[in-house]
Amino acid sequence: MGISKWKKKLVSLLVVGVFFVSTAGARAIADDDGKGQPPPKPTPTTKIDAPAPLTERERQLLDRVEQLERRMAELEGKAQPAAALPRHLQ
């Protein structure tokens, strides 16, 4: 009879363990849709009339980028006609 009591305790322990694991798992997976929290306040939108003036360094960087874009366009323009010709005509 000692084994029968041991089996009952083991089964009851397993049932309790499965119950706790299943409830903890359900809480971890549950989707919190925020029903218990108040809705967020809308943020006021501010309209910027004019952008902030550029610093000298920013202006220099923009000038360099524009110069590089022009040079890149020139190089791409030179490379396209050679690529457009059939191989036997080159």
Side-chain angles (χ1 to χ4, degrees), residues 23-40:
T23 56
R27 285 182 169 235
I29 298 172
D31 184 21
D32 184 20
D33 57 1
K35 288 183 180 177
Q37 300 173 356

Side-chain angles (χ1 to χ4, degrees), residues 11-12 25 32 38 41 50 55 77 89:
V11 169
S12 62
D32 184 20
K41 295 179 181 178
T55 63
L89 293 177

